[in-house]
Amino acid sequence: MTTVFGLIIQGKIPSTKVFENERILAIEDIHPVAPVHILIIPKKEIPDLQSVGPEDLPLMGEIVQVAQKIAQERGVEGGYCLLTNNGAGAGQTIFHLHFHLIGGKVLHH
């Protein structure tokens, strides 16, 4: 694993963990844009959403379940965004699939 998220997953870069199991790590974003800003990262190195294969679909469902759990724990289950960027043209800067759970304030797109 060569991305910053790979190094965080390996424990080589510190992070504030919110959730972890064998397949998923969730951490506090170091540059939050809202009171709740959690990054949900599959431990499997998948570069972007377009690279998700049929074998990864159970993992994607588990990520949604983790997002729901964290949203409830943080009290934002009534209004939050779960976002990912796919490719440089969409603003992706770290090419390890990850999702932003953002909430705790009124959000506009």
Side-chain angles (χ1 to χ4, degrees):
M1 294 188 164
T2 58
T3 68
V4 66
F5 290 152
L7 296 173
I8 290 170
I9 290 165
Q10 294 172 21
K12 295 179 179 178
I13 295 176
S15 64
T16 303
K17 294 179 184 178
V18 173
F19 173 89
E20 184 173 22
N21 67 17
E22 307 81 38
R23 295 164 301 284
I24 297 168
L25 175 65
I27 62 174
E28 297 277 353
D29 193 294
I30 61 171
H31 300 294
V33 298
V36 174
H37 191 162
I38 307 296
L39 300 176
I40 304 173
I41 310 161
K43 290 184 176 180
K44 179 178 180 183
E45 200 166 20
I46 303 170
D48 54 30
L49 197 58
Q50 281 303 116
S51 300
V52 171
E55 70 280 6
D56 300 315
L57 295 179
L59 177 61
M60 297 302 106
E62 188 175 357
I63 287 170
V64 170
Q65 290 177 320
V66 169
Q68 292 170 330
K69 179 181 184 292
I70 293 169
Q72 187 171 25
E73 289 172 352
R74 297 295 174 105
V76 297
E77 68 273 19
Y80 65 91
C81 293
L82 185 62
L83 307 169
T84 192
N85 299 321
N86 186 79
Q92 185 178 4
T93 58
I94 300 172
F95 290 88
H96 184 130
L97 181 63
H98 59 285
F99 297 83
H100 298 257
L101 189 157
I102 302 170
K105 70 175 193 175
V106 177
L107 301 167
H108 300 281
H109 300 284

